[in-house]
Amino acid sequence: MEQLNTAGASGPNLISRLKQATSKLQTIATTLVHAKPESQAHPETHSSDAAEVASSAPQAVLVTNIKEVDEYAKRLNEAVSEFQAVCQQLEDPALLEMAQLVQELTDNQAKLIQAAAQTQKPAIPEFQKMLARIQASLESISNLKNSNRRSKLFNNFSAISEGVAAYGWVAIEKTPMGYITDMKESSQFYTNRVLKEFRESNPIQVEFVKKFLHIIEQLFLYVKMYHTTGLKFGYSRPLLTSDQAIEFINSSPENAHNVANNSSNSAGGPPPPPPPPPPPVFDDAPMNSDTSSSKPMTGGINALFSEINQGEGITKNLKKVDKNAPKPPPTSSQPLEPKPIGKYKNSLSTPSLPPKKELNGKRWAIENFVNEEISLEITDITQTVYIYNCTGCTISISNKLNNLSIDKCSKSGIIFDAVVSSCDLINSQSIKLQPNLAIPLINIDKSNGVQLFLNDSNKDSIEILTAKSSEINVCYTDHTSEDAYDYREFFVPEQMKTTVVDGKLITTVLEHNG
């Protein structure tokens, strides 16, 4: 009874205290609604707290193991290791250095494939940053080749430089396998020269050709298995941001499996939980009876229910849309997809180099000229001429030479007297060739828009070999015309017909009447 009386005596005090607590809670709730969020009022405090939470969060490994990267490493690392062993047997320090650059290129591409697997397809500027390491490796290989032009193994250097361009498949959409095949055939132009020179005398050189082409073949098989329509993005979790992917690609090997984070929002562990929301405020004001008003009520949950209760009148203020109106252009926040211009336009470009005209031993090199007229006099019949990367030039070569090679030139004309062995044209566009005297053979490989001007001294004895080329026209003087400078023009057929006869394939050229 005594305890009951005590409780009854304290009842009024307890009720009074509950009323005071309720009043304080209502005051705090009203203050939170009308005041600025605490994170804005005290940014220093919250940023420091978030930093403490982020630093205390466990650093997780964001890069996961995926079968695509494991398969790439299994195929390519083994092939490159065998290739390095063969280069070491050739005992050329520069060639061994180039083999090491091929290994570096392979490692950089493995990291790119890993980063792409955990990144949504980026915009063009971010993707160019992701390709920077691969492009730097390709430039290093090209520069090393150009610095060893006097080497007796220059064909080996050229074969590697042409072949490793196949690693640029990551920048090719829809047809990466066709691109790799083209780069392999470009490399075979030089590997065939290596075989022709060393097949009988140096079996290590034969092994060099096999091992290097094996690298490109393994690359082709890998792309065929996992990336038939181009490099795949965003199929592995957790996803990384573009900045994290770029940082991972540029990271050192010992840090390759951890992505450093510079902000609290991108910490390795899970982000800290957000602060609790402010308590809800219940408006006790009566609901407006005028539900047809076009102006929505302000304040809390009553405004929401007021708009819902309008019924059909809720749609009367919506803007009518004309179906025939043109669609607005994409905003700057919507990244545009890359649009390749021409075949393999997205492939990695080679660096520009200064023009050069010099004689190394018995080899003339004419390189990197633009819109120039160049004259060259041959003083020894054993000299050769190599013309590389010239655009819009007219090149005149006087006297007889041993061999003429034209590589990666465009919109240029070459006039020469006579050649002992052959004239080779490869990877060129819009070229005019004019031999003035005898020439036994002209090889045209992977070139388009070639015009060949012949005369009576060479048109009956010349042989023209073409491969993967188009728009090849042969012109020579028309003796039936009154004009001595009137030329007749014939095009080299490009269409072939293949039939099966007695179990064998018979291929013939479709005849065209010129």
Side-chain angles (χ1 to χ4, degrees):
M1 291 294 295
E2 185 178 354
Q3 292 179 355
L4 181 61
N5 293 334
T6 304
S10 61
N13 295 332
L14 179 60
I15 294 174
S16 176
R17 291 172 62 187
L18 288 176
K19 287 183 178 180
Q20 292 177 2
T22 303
S23 177
K24 289 182 179 181
L25 287 175
Q26 289 179 349
T27 303
I28 294 173
T30 305
T31 303
L32 288 175
V33 170
H34 296 286
K36 291 183 179 180
E38 188 176 356
S39 60
Q40 297 181 9
H42 304 285
E44 298 84 359
T45 303
H46 279 276
S47 61
S48 61
D49 294 343
E52 292 178 2
V53 175
S55 61
S56 62
Q59 292 293 325
V61 177
L62 295 182
V63 178
T64 57
N65 293 328
I66 57 175
K67 64 178 181 180
E68 285 82 356
V69 177
D70 294 340
E71 183 68 19
Y72 179 90
K74 177 182 177 181
R75 288 179 176 273
L76 273 298
N77 287 340
E78 181 179 354
V80 174
S81 297
E82 294 175 355
F83 175 68
Q84 284 182 300
V86 174
C87 290
Q88 192 168 8
Q89 296 178 27
L90 291 174
E91 299 180 350
D92 188 294
L95 191 64
L96 182 58
E97 180 183 356
M98 183 170 279
Q100 293 170 350
L101 289 175
V102 174
Q103 180 64 66
E104 177 185 305
L105 174 62
T106 304
D107 295 339
N108 288 334
Q109 185 157 102
K111 296 173 74 174
L112 173 65
I113 296 172
Q114 175 76 64
Q118 295 184 235
T119 310
Q120 295 293 350
K121 188 173 183 179
I124 295 177
E126 285 74 17
F127 189 47
Q128 290 176 344
K129 293 179 182 179
M130 294 174 69
L131 293 175
R133 292 291 292 268
I134 292 180
Q135 187 165 4
S137 298
L138 291 174
E139 290 180 0
S140 299
I141 293 173
S142 179
N143 292 335
L144 185 59
K145 180 202 75 171
N146 292 326
S147 63
N148 286 274
R149 291 191 175 276
R150 297 184 181 182
S151 172
K152 62 181 180 180
L153 300 180
F154 180 68
N155 285 329
N156 298 66
F157 288 102
S158 298
I160 298 174
S161 181
E162 292 290 329
V164 295
Y167 281 80
W169 68 267
V170 292
I172 304 301
E173 294 184 348
K174 297 183 180 180
T175 57
M177 292 186 294
Y179 175 79
I180 295 175
T181 300
D182 285 351
M183 297 305 104
K184 178 184 176 182
E185 292 174 352
S186 296
S187 178
Q188 285 178 317
F189 178 81
Y190 294 100
T191 57
N192 290 340
R193 290 185 172 185
V194 174
L195 293 176
K196 182 178 179 181
E197 183 177 358
F198 297 105
R199 189 187 298 273
E200 303 297 334
S201 60
N202 192 346
I204 299 179
Q205 286 281 15
V206 178
E207 195 67 16
F208 167 89
V209 172
K210 292 181 179 179
K211 295 301 183 183
F212 179 70
L213 294 181
H214 181 63
I215 295 175
I216 305 178
E217 291 167 358
Q218 289 299 316
L219 187 63
F220 178 88
L221 293 175
Y222 169 77
V223 174
K224 182 179 179 181
M225 184 179 298
Y226 295 106
H227 304 275
T228 53
T229 58
L231 182 62
K232 295 193 298 183
F233 289 89
Y235 57 89
S236 181
R237 297 295 184 273
L239 288 178
L240 308 178
T241 64
S242 297
D243 291 339
Q244 289 175 328
I246 295 170
E247 188 172 357
F248 167 72
I249 294 172
N250 295 329
S251 62
S252 58
E254 58 270 15
N255 296 326
H257 293 288
N258 291 282
V259 180
N261 303 287
N262 298 323
S263 64
S264 61
N265 290 334
S266 60
V281 179
F282 297 96
D283 192 356
D284 295 333
M287 187 177 297
N288 192 344
S289 60
D290 185 8
T291 60
S292 62
S293 175
S294 60
K295 296 182 179 180
M297 296 179 61
T298 59
I301 196 171
N302 288 338
L304 174 62
F305 284 109
S306 177
E307 291 189 358
I308 294 176
N309 292 333
Q310 292 183 31
E312 295 181 357
I314 196 172
T315 62
K316 69 178 183 179
N317 292 321
L318 295 178
K319 183 180 178 181
K320 294 183 179 180
V321 179
D322 186 4
K323 295 183 179 180
N324 298 324
K327 295 182 179 179
T331 61
S332 58
S333 61
Q334 298 174 347
L336 298 177
E337 294 293 331
K339 297 180 179 179
I341 303 175
K343 188 177 183 182
Y344 309 135
K345 192 64 178 181
N346 285 339
S347 59
L348 305 180
S349 59
T350 57
S352 58
L353 299 173
K356 179 176 64 175
K357 176 186 174 184
E358 64 180 11
L359 176 63
N360 298 325
K362 295 184 178 182
R363 177 190 177 95
W364 278 100
I366 301 175
E367 302 176 0
N368 309 313
F369 284 94
V370 179
N371 299 328
E372 297 283 347
E373 292 187 4
I374 304 168
S375 298
L376 177 63
E377 183 177 359
I378 302 298
T379 58
D380 187 351
I381 195 175
T382 60
Q383 291 179 349
T384 62
V385 176
Y386 179 70
I387 303 173
Y388 174 78
N389 196 30
C390 292
T391 303
C393 296
T394 301
I395 303 173
S396 177
I397 304 172
S398 59
N399 300 329
K400 196 172 188 179
L401 68 155
N402 184 31
N403 175 263
L404 173 61
S405 297
I406 304 160
D407 187 7
K408 290 186 179 178
C409 295
S410 63
K411 299 180 181 179
S412 298
I414 297 93
I415 305 172
F416 54 96
D417 285 344
V419 175
V420 175
S421 59
S422 66
C423 171
D424 301 320
L425 178 65
I426 181 174
N427 291 331
S428 298
Q429 308 288 331
S430 302
I431 299 296
K432 295 181 180 180
L433 295 176
Q434 182 176 333
N436 294 328
L437 301 175
I439 175 173
L441 178 64
I442 293 182
N443 288 314
I444 303 175
D445 188 16
K446 295 195 192 99
S447 299
N448 302 306
V450 180
Q451 282 189 300
L452 179 59
F453 295 91
L454 305 178
N455 53 44
D456 293 340
S457 63
N458 52 36
K459 71 177 183 179
D460 296 328
S461 59
I462 192 173
E463 293 183 357
I464 303 171
L465 302 182
T466 62
K468 298 193 71 174
S469 300
S470 62
E471 303 174 32
I472 311 298
N473 294 324
V474 180
C475 310
Y476 54 83
T477 307
D478 184 7
H479 292 291
T480 61
S481 175
E482 296 179 358
D483 187 355
Y485 296 97
D486 189 12
Y487 279 81
R488 296 187 65 188
E489 186 173 6
F490 301 88
F491 66 89
V492 176
E494 301 174 18
Q495 291 180 307
M496 313 295 289
K497 180 178 70 174
T498 301
T499 57
V500 180
V501 179
D502 296 332
K504 298 181 180 180
L505 291 181
I506 306 298
T507 302
T508 58
V509 177
L510 289 180
E511 297 291 341
H512 297 273
N513 295 324

